[in-house]
Amino acid sequence: MKSKLLNTILLLLLLTSALQAADKINVVTTLSTYANVVKYVGGDKVKVNYIVAGDQDAHFVRPKPSYAMLLSNADLFVSTGLDLELWVPSLVDMSKNDNIRSGQKGFVAAYDGIKLLDKPSVLSRSEGGLHIYGNPHITTSPLNLKVIAENIAIGLEKIDPVNSDYYRLNSKSFQKNIDNKTFGEDLVNLMGGTLLTKLANNGTLIDFLSSKEYKGKMMIDYLGGWMKEALPLRGKKIVAYHKNWIYFQEIFGFEIIGYVEPKPGIPPSPKHVEELVQEMKKNNVKVLLAANYFDENKVRRICEKVGAIPVIVPMFVDGAPNTKNVYKLFDLWISELNKAFRN
């Protein structure tokens, strides 16, 4: 009798769990970073899968049937919405899920509302893997993540309007956390995240804080978070492998004087590498920043020629140990760059 009762209870628990899972909104994202933001915004009302791993190049993904199967069951699909993931249309076609096509209720373009940088003045194949709308590597600015969270909240509301307040509250909470992590709580409480974001995106925040005083202290002394941690990077010159750090560079104020790729997506020739090495020597560049999906040996060989330090980091969440969320990812990028410049 006890055995039957136990089996009945177990069966009821399994059925309850299955029903709860069925009630969740099924979200698929291209990038692991978007998936992480979805978890913050969607909370316990979403189930999330992603296609591009944290240590994978988002430009180059083969549209596998398994990915199409994921999308076929998706209620919501989050993609950058630019020309980073050029494989997306083929995958959506394979999925036969018309609800997640661009422009439909089940599609979220993460970039919507973000000021795109590095828009090309010349459209030509000779320029390499050109992004015609602007640089699509929007996840490298923490402030862009606030816009992405808002876009995801709007997408979830369309699918599940009953829980609209829940998604909006979670989005606001995430945005506040990003403000606090970026600028420090003291400065956010003093000036507000909206104004700080505007000044940071305009590149005038540090000058503004350095010229103003509040209660007997210079306002720069109220600065905390990543902006304070990254102050030693401001004005420093580095070389990067690919043009995927422009938003990070703009916020934190260092200068990229050259790239291992002569043009985006074009492998470096021996001649280009030699010219880059000479440029690094001329500018006394001691740091080379690269995503960890590029050829690590090539990065290290270039560094050896000039005595530079390679900073090889994941581009997206979960791309390396201790990068399980966006906060840990930015912690890693800034700490690794600071460590390299201290050596």
Side-chain angles (χ1 to χ4, degrees):
M1 189 70 180
K2 285 183 179 179
S3 177
K4 281 187 176 181
L5 180 61
L6 183 60
N7 287 336
T8 302
I9 291 170
L10 287 172
L11 181 60
L12 286 170
L13 287 172
L14 287 171
L15 286 171
T16 301
S17 177
L19 285 170
Q20 287 174 342
D23 288 342
K24 290 180 184 288
I25 296 175
N26 188 11
V27 184
V28 178
T29 71
T30 51
L31 310 182
S32 61
T33 296
Y34 297 151
N36 184 240
V37 179
V38 169
K39 289 177 183 177
Y40 284 113
V41 177
D44 59 6
K45 301 190 184 303
V46 299
K47 180 179 72 172
V48 193
N49 288 288
Y50 58 83
I51 294 168
V52 183
D55 59 355
Q56 189 176 4
D57 190 343
H59 294 91
F60 306 108
V61 172
R62 182 171 295 178
K64 297 179 182 178
S66 58
Y67 298 152
M69 183 62 70
L70 269 181
L71 288 177
S72 69
N73 297 314
D75 299 307
L76 193 70
F77 179 40
V78 182
S79 175
T80 304
L82 298 168
D83 49 5
L84 175 63
E85 308 103 320
L86 291 174
W87 39 270
V88 159
S90 296
L91 207 51
V92 172
D93 285 344
M94 288 169 62
S95 78
K96 302 188 185 306
N97 184 350
D98 290 337
N99 294 323
I100 61 167
R101 293 188 182 279
S102 179
Q104 299 302 308
K105 183 172 75 170
F107 178 77
V108 171
Y111 88 95
D112 192 27
I114 291 173
K115 181 184 177 183
L116 298 176
L117 303 176
D118 199 26
K119 292 183 180 179
S121 55
V122 177
L123 299 178
S124 168
R125 289 183 182 274
S126 66
E127 296 302 308
L130 200 64
H131 294 295
I132 62 174
Y133 307 107
N135 194 297
H137 298 286
I138 56 176
T139 59
T140 60
S141 167
L143 303 180
N144 286 347
L145 297 183
K146 297 199 298 177
V147 182
I148 293 167
E150 180 70 15
N151 291 336
I152 288 168
I154 292 169
L156 289 170
E157 286 181 67
K158 290 178 182 178
I159 302 298
D160 181 24
V162 171
N163 289 302
S164 173
D165 289 345
Y166 177 83
Y167 302 128
R168 286 202 168 273
L169 186 64
N170 285 351
S171 176
K172 294 298 181 188
S173 176
F174 175 77
Q175 291 169 332
K176 182 66 179 292
N177 286 336
I178 288 290
D179 283 337
N180 289 339
K181 289 289 289 183
T182 303
F183 306 111
E185 289 187 38
D186 288 344
L187 194 60
V188 172
N189 290 336
L190 184 60
M191 294 182 61
T194 301
L195 177 56
L196 289 169
T197 295
K198 181 179 179 180
L199 292 170
N201 281 334
N202 289 341
T204 58
L205 177 64
I206 301 303
D207 287 343
F208 176 86
L209 295 177
S210 300
S211 66
K212 303 293 181 184
E213 189 177 318
Y214 180 74
K215 289 190 175 180
K217 284 173 60 176
M218 296 306 295
M219 291 191 70
I220 192 73
D221 294 330
Y222 292 94
L223 181 67
W226 292 318
M227 292 295 287
K228 181 177 182 179
E229 291 170 26
L231 283 176
L233 303 179
R234 302 194 76 81
K236 292 288 197 301
K237 294 180 179 181
I238 73 168
V239 160
Y241 199 103
H242 177 81
K243 277 193 170 185
N244 47 7
W245 298 102
I246 185 168
Y247 297 96
F248 187 68
Q249 169 196 353
E250 286 288 308
I251 290 295
F252 295 111
F254 57 88
E255 181 184 355
I256 299 177
I257 63 120
Y259 294 91
V260 175
E261 291 180 335
K263 290 175 182 177
I266 296 179
S269 65
K271 180 184 177 184
H272 173 72
V273 170
E274 184 53 38
E275 289 172 350
L276 183 65
V277 165
Q278 294 307 316
E279 192 68 17
M280 291 174 75
K281 288 179 178 178
K282 177 183 171 183
N283 286 277
N284 195 30
V285 172
K286 295 299 181 183
V287 173
L288 198 164
L289 177 62
N292 63 356
Y293 48 72
F294 289 118
D295 187 337
E296 183 174 330
N297 290 328
K298 189 174 291 180
V299 172
R300 295 191 181 280
R301 283 197 299 270
I302 293 171
C303 287
E304 286 169 4
K305 290 176 183 286
V306 294
I309 295 172
V311 176
I312 302 170
V313 291
M315 201 73 209
F316 309 117
V317 166
D318 263 339
N322 202 29
T323 58
K324 64 181 181 180
N325 58 49
V326 291
Y327 306 116
K328 296 285 188 183
L329 189 61
F330 280 95
D331 284 344
L332 179 72
W333 291 347
I334 293 169
S335 65
E336 288 299 303
L337 281 170
N338 275 330
K339 190 191 305 180
F341 278 110
R342 284 196 300 268
N343 288 340

Short mmCIF file of all heavy atoms in Angstrom, two decimals, residues 44-74:
data_model
loop_
_atom_site.label_atom_id
_atom_site.label_comp_id
_atom_site.label_asym_id
_atom_site.label_seq_id
_atom_site.Cartn_x
_atom_site.Cartn_y
_atom_site.Cartn_z
N ASP A 44 11.61 32.84 -13.74
CA ASP A 44 11.12 31.46 -13.73
C ASP A 44 10.00 31.21 -14.73
O ASP A 44 9.40 30.15 -14.75
CB ASP A 44 10.65 31.08 -12.32
CG ASP A 44 9.53 31.97 -11.80
OD1 ASP A 44 9.03 32.82 -12.57
OD2 ASP A 44 9.14 31.81 -10.63
N LYS A 45 9.74 32.19 -15.59
CA LYS A 45 8.67 32.03 -16.58
C LYS A 45 9.21 31.66 -17.97
O LYS A 45 8.45 31.58 -18.93
CB LYS A 45 7.83 33.30 -16.66
CG LYS A 45 7.18 33.64 -15.32
CD LYS A 45 6.17 34.73 -15.41
CE LYS A 45 5.63 35.09 -14.03
NZ LYS A 45 5.06 33.94 -13.30
N VAL A 46 10.54 31.47 -18.07
CA VAL A 46 11.13 31.14 -19.37
C VAL A 46 12.02 29.91 -19.28
O VAL A 46 12.57 29.58 -18.23
CB VAL A 46 11.96 32.33 -19.93
CG1 VAL A 46 11.09 33.55 -20.14
CG2 VAL A 46 13.14 32.65 -19.02
N LYS A 47 12.12 29.26 -20.42
CA LYS A 47 13.12 28.21 -20.62
C LYS A 47 13.99 28.69 -21.77
O LYS A 47 13.48 29.09 -22.82
CB LYS A 47 12.44 26.89 -20.97
CG LYS A 47 13.40 25.73 -21.19
CD LYS A 47 12.66 24.44 -21.50
CE LYS A 47 12.08 24.48 -22.90
NZ LYS A 47 11.52 23.19 -23.33
N VAL A 48 15.33 28.69 -21.59
CA VAL A 48 16.22 29.33 -22.57
C VAL A 48 17.26 28.35 -23.10
O VAL A 48 17.89 27.62 -22.33
CB VAL A 48 16.97 30.54 -21.95
CG1 VAL A 48 17.63 31.37 -23.04
CG2 VAL A 48 16.04 31.40 -21.12
N ASN A 49 17.44 28.38 -24.41
CA ASN A 49 18.55 27.69 -25.07
C ASN A 49 19.25 28.68 -26.00
O ASN A 49 18.64 29.64 -26.46
CB ASN A 49 18.04 26.51 -25.90
CG ASN A 49 17.57 25.35 -25.05
OD1 ASN A 49 18.36 24.66 -24.44
ND2 ASN A 49 16.26 25.16 -24.99
N TYR A 50 20.53 28.45 -26.25
CA TYR A 50 21.27 29.30 -27.18
C TYR A 50 22.03 28.46 -28.19
O TYR A 50 22.26 27.26 -27.98
CB TYR A 50 22.20 30.26 -26.44
CG TYR A 50 23.23 29.61 -25.55
CD1 TYR A 50 24.44 29.13 -26.05
CD2 TYR A 50 23.02 29.50 -24.18
CE1 TYR A 50 25.39 28.56 -25.23
CE2 TYR A 50 23.96 28.92 -23.34
CZ TYR A 50 25.14 28.45 -23.88
OH TYR A 50 26.09 27.87 -23.06
N ILE A 51 22.42 29.10 -29.28
CA ILE A 51 23.08 28.40 -30.39
C ILE A 51 24.59 28.60 -30.38
O ILE A 51 25.36 27.66 -30.56
CB ILE A 51 22.47 28.87 -31.73
CG1 ILE A 51 21.01 28.43 -31.82
CG2 ILE A 51 23.28 28.35 -32.92
CD1 ILE A 51 20.22 29.07 -32.94
N VAL A 52 25.05 29.85 -30.19
CA VAL A 52 26.49 30.15 -30.25
C VAL A 52 27.09 30.04 -28.85
O VAL A 52 26.71 30.77 -27.94
CB VAL A 52 26.72 31.58 -30.80
CG1 VAL A 52 28.21 31.86 -30.92
CG2 VAL A 52 26.04 31.76 -32.15
N ALA A 53 28.03 29.14 -28.70
CA ALA A 53 28.71 28.95 -27.41
C ALA A 53 29.57 30.17 -27.08
O ALA A 53 29.93 30.95 -27.97
CB ALA A 53 29.55 27.69 -27.43
N GLY A 54 29.90 30.31 -25.82
CA GLY A 54 30.64 31.48 -25.37
C GLY A 54 32.04 31.61 -25.92
O GLY A 54 32.62 32.70 -25.91
N ASP A 55 32.61 30.51 -26.39
CA ASP A 55 33.95 30.54 -26.96
C ASP A 55 33.92 30.27 -28.47
O ASP A 55 34.88 29.78 -29.06
CB ASP A 55 34.86 29.52 -26.27
CG ASP A 55 34.34 28.09 -26.38
OD1 ASP A 55 33.22 27.89 -26.91
OD2 ASP A 55 35.04 27.17 -25.93
N GLN A 56 32.82 30.62 -29.09
CA GLN A 56 32.62 30.36 -30.52
C GLN A 56 32.48 31.68 -31.28
O GLN A 56 31.96 32.66 -30.74
CB GLN A 56 31.36 29.51 -30.71
CG GLN A 56 31.14 28.98 -32.11
CD GLN A 56 29.92 28.06 -32.18
OE1 GLN A 56 29.20 27.88 -31.19
NE2 GLN A 56 29.67 27.48 -33.34
N ASP A 57 32.92 31.69 -32.53
CA ASP A 57 32.80 32.88 -33.38
C ASP A 57 31.40 32.93 -33.97
O ASP A 57 31.00 32.05 -34.73
CB ASP A 57 33.84 32.80 -34.50
CG ASP A 57 33.96 34.10 -35.30
OD1 ASP A 57 33.04 34.93 -35.22
OD2 ASP A 57 34.97 34.28 -36.00
N ALA A 58 30.66 33.96 -33.61
CA ALA A 58 29.25 34.08 -34.03
C ALA A 58 29.10 34.28 -35.53
O ALA A 58 28.02 34.08 -36.08
CB ALA A 58 28.57 35.22 -33.29
N HIS A 59 30.17 34.70 -36.20
CA HIS A 59 30.10 34.89 -37.65
C HIS A 59 29.92 33.55 -38.37
O HIS A 59 29.28 33.50 -39.42
CB HIS A 59 31.39 35.53 -38.18
CG HIS A 59 31.63 36.93 -37.72
ND1 HIS A 59 32.36 37.21 -36.59
CD2 HIS A 59 31.26 38.12 -38.24
CE1 HIS A 59 32.43 38.52 -36.44
NE2 HIS A 59 31.76 39.09 -37.42
N PHE A 60 30.52 32.50 -37.81
CA PHE A 60 30.61 31.24 -38.54
C PHE A 60 29.92 30.11 -37.77
O PHE A 60 30.53 29.47 -36.91
CB PHE A 60 32.07 30.89 -38.81
CG PHE A 60 32.82 31.98 -39.51
CD1 PHE A 60 33.78 32.72 -38.82
CD2 PHE A 60 32.56 32.31 -40.83
CE1 PHE A 60 34.47 33.76 -39.44
CE2 PHE A 60 33.25 33.34 -41.47
CZ PHE A 60 34.20 34.06 -40.78
N VAL A 61 28.68 29.87 -38.08
CA VAL A 61 27.92 28.78 -37.46
C VAL A 61 27.23 28.00 -38.56
O VAL A 61 26.55 28.59 -39.42
CB VAL A 61 26.87 29.33 -36.47
CG1 VAL A 61 25.96 28.21 -35.98
CG2 VAL A 61 27.56 30.01 -35.28
N ARG A 62 27.41 26.70 -38.55
CA ARG A 62 26.75 25.86 -39.55
C ARG A 62 25.30 25.61 -39.12
O ARG A 62 25.06 25.17 -37.99
CB ARG A 62 27.49 24.54 -39.69
CG ARG A 62 26.91 23.61 -40.75
CD ARG A 62 27.80 22.42 -40.97
NE ARG A 62 29.09 22.82 -41.53
CZ ARG A 62 30.07 21.96 -41.78
NH1 ARG A 62 29.92 20.67 -41.52
NH2 ARG A 62 31.21 22.40 -42.28
N PRO A 63 24.34 25.89 -39.99
CA PRO A 63 22.92 25.68 -39.63
C PRO A 63 22.58 24.20 -39.52
O PRO A 63 22.12 23.57 -40.46
CB PRO A 63 22.16 26.34 -40.80
CG PRO A 63 23.15 27.20 -41.50
CD PRO A 63 24.48 26.53 -41.31
N LYS A 64 22.80 23.62 -38.35
CA LYS A 64 22.56 22.20 -38.12
C LYS A 64 21.06 21.91 -37.94
O LYS A 64 20.31 22.76 -37.44
CB LYS A 64 23.29 21.74 -36.86
CG LYS A 64 24.80 21.85 -36.92
CD LYS A 64 25.39 21.38 -35.60
CE LYS A 64 26.90 21.52 -35.58
NZ LYS A 64 27.46 21.11 -34.26
N PRO A 65 20.63 20.72 -38.31
CA PRO A 65 19.23 20.33 -38.07
C PRO A 65 18.83 20.42 -36.59
O PRO A 65 17.68 20.74 -36.28
CB PRO A 65 19.18 18.88 -38.56
CG PRO A 65 20.27 18.81 -39.59
CD PRO A 65 21.36 19.71 -39.10
N SER A 66 19.79 20.16 -35.69
CA SER A 66 19.46 20.24 -34.26
C SER A 66 19.12 21.66 -33.84
O SER A 66 18.25 21.88 -32.99
CB SER A 66 20.64 19.72 -33.42
OG SER A 66 21.83 20.46 -33.69
N TYR A 67 19.79 22.65 -34.46
CA TYR A 67 19.46 24.05 -34.18
C TYR A 67 18.08 24.40 -34.75
O TYR A 67 17.30 25.12 -34.12
CB TYR A 67 20.50 24.99 -34.78
CG TYR A 67 21.91 24.82 -34.25
CD1 TYR A 67 23.01 25.15 -35.04
CD2 TYR A 67 22.14 24.35 -32.97
CE1 TYR A 67 24.31 25.00 -34.57
CE2 TYR A 67 23.43 24.20 -32.48
CZ TYR A 67 24.50 24.53 -33.29
OH TYR A 67 25.78 24.38 -32.81
N ALA A 68 17.81 23.89 -35.94
CA ALA A 68 16.50 24.13 -36.55
C ALA A 68 15.38 23.53 -35.70
O ALA A 68 14.30 24.12 -35.56
CB ALA A 68 16.46 23.54 -37.96
N MET A 69 15.65 22.38 -35.09
CA MET A 69 14.67 21.74 -34.21
C MET A 69 14.40 22.62 -32.98
O MET A 69 13.25 22.77 -32.55
CB MET A 69 15.16 20.36 -33.77
CG MET A 69 14.17 19.59 -32.91
SD MET A 69 12.62 19.24 -33.78
CE MET A 69 13.19 18.03 -34.98
N LEU A 70 15.47 23.20 -32.43
CA LEU A 70 15.31 24.13 -31.30
C LEU A 70 14.37 25.27 -31.69
O LEU A 70 13.45 25.62 -30.95
CB LEU A 70 16.66 24.73 -30.91
CG LEU A 70 17.52 24.03 -29.85
CD1 LEU A 70 18.80 24.83 -29.63
CD2 LEU A 70 16.77 23.87 -28.54
N LEU A 71 14.62 25.84 -32.86
CA LEU A 71 13.83 26.99 -33.31
C LEU A 71 12.41 26.60 -33.69
O LEU A 71 11.50 27.43 -33.58
CB LEU A 71 14.52 27.66 -34.50
CG LEU A 71 15.80 28.44 -34.17
CD1 LEU A 71 16.43 28.99 -35.44
CD2 LEU A 71 15.51 29.58 -33.21
N SER A 72 12.22 25.39 -34.11
CA SER A 72 10.87 24.97 -34.52
C SER A 72 9.90 25.02 -33.34
O SER A 72 8.70 25.21 -33.52
CB SER A 72 10.90 23.57 -35.13
OG SER A 72 11.19 22.59 -34.14
N ASN A 73 10.44 24.85 -32.13
CA ASN A 73 9.60 24.85 -30.93
C ASN A 73 9.68 26.17 -30.15
O ASN A 73 9.13 26.28 -29.05
CB ASN A 73 10.02 23.71 -30.00
CG ASN A 73 9.81 22.35 -30.65
OD1 ASN A 73 8.75 22.11 -31.22
ND2 ASN A 73 10.79 21.48 -30.57
N ALA A 74 10.37 27.17 -30.71
CA ALA A 74 10.59 28.42 -29.97
C ALA A 74 9.35 29.32 -30.01
O ALA A 74 8.72 29.48 -31.05
CB ALA A 74 11.79 29.17 -30.56
#
